[in-house]
Amino acid sequence: MKAVITVIGQDTVGVVAKVSAVCAELNINIEDVSQSIMQDMFCMIMLVDLSKANAEVRDRFAALGKEMKMQVTVTRQEVFDAMHTI
């Protein structure tokens, strides 16, 4: 199963490293990533493969978001695609 992870919030050192570390911890493969910084706002979108994930993915990323004081969401790819199709 594929999913989209989005990360939005105040830019700080180590965001990509922390999100990638959680992916590795949960056995999630990162297939594509795009990031940008708009003024002081960090924005990242990752396409990931959850087929081998070994834990409660949403809860772990919600906790990471609180820890980093950023918005981190995990959305299944088909739901993400449907939300962004006119």
Side-chain angles (χ1 to χ4, degrees), residues 36-71:
S36 63
I37 299 171
M38 297 183 290
Q39 296 181 6
D40 290 333
M41 191 65 83
F42 178 88
C43 304
M44 179 169 66
I45 300 172
M46 300 177 113
L47 178 62
V48 298
D49 181 354
L50 298 177
S51 61
K52 296 180 181 175
N54 56 16
E56 197 57 43
V57 174
R58 287 180 198 254
D59 291 343
R60 184 65 182 93
F61 280 106
L64 178 64
K66 285 182 183 179
E67 173 189 318
M68 295 189 308
K69 297 181 180 154
M70 300 180 89
Q71 177 184 336

Side-chain angles (χ1 to χ4, degrees), residues 3-82:
V4 176
I5 298 174
T6 58
V7 182
I8 301 170
Q10 192 69 30
D11 186 33
T12 130
V13 174
V15 175
V16 176
K18 289 176 184 176
V19 174
S20 298
V22 171
C23 286
E25 170 189 321
L26 299 178
N27 204 27
I28 295 171
N29 187 44
I30 300 169
E31 295 188 349
D32 200 1
V33 62
S34 174
Q35 71 171 44
S36 63
I37 299 171
M38 297 183 290
Q39 296 181 6
D40 290 333
M41 191 65 83
F42 178 88
C43 304
M44 179 169 66
I45 300 172
M46 300 177 113
L47 178 62
V48 298
D49 181 354
L50 298 177
S51 61
K52 296 180 181 175
N54 56 16
E56 197 57 43
V57 174
R58 287 180 198 254
D59 291 343
R60 184 65 182 93
F61 280 106
L64 178 64
K66 285 182 183 179
E67 173 189 318
M68 295 189 308
K69 297 181 180 154
M70 300 180 89
Q71 177 184 336
V72 180
T73 58
V74 180
T75 308
R76 288 189 355 221
Q77 184 180 18
E78 53 271 9
V79 173
F80 187 87
D81 290 345

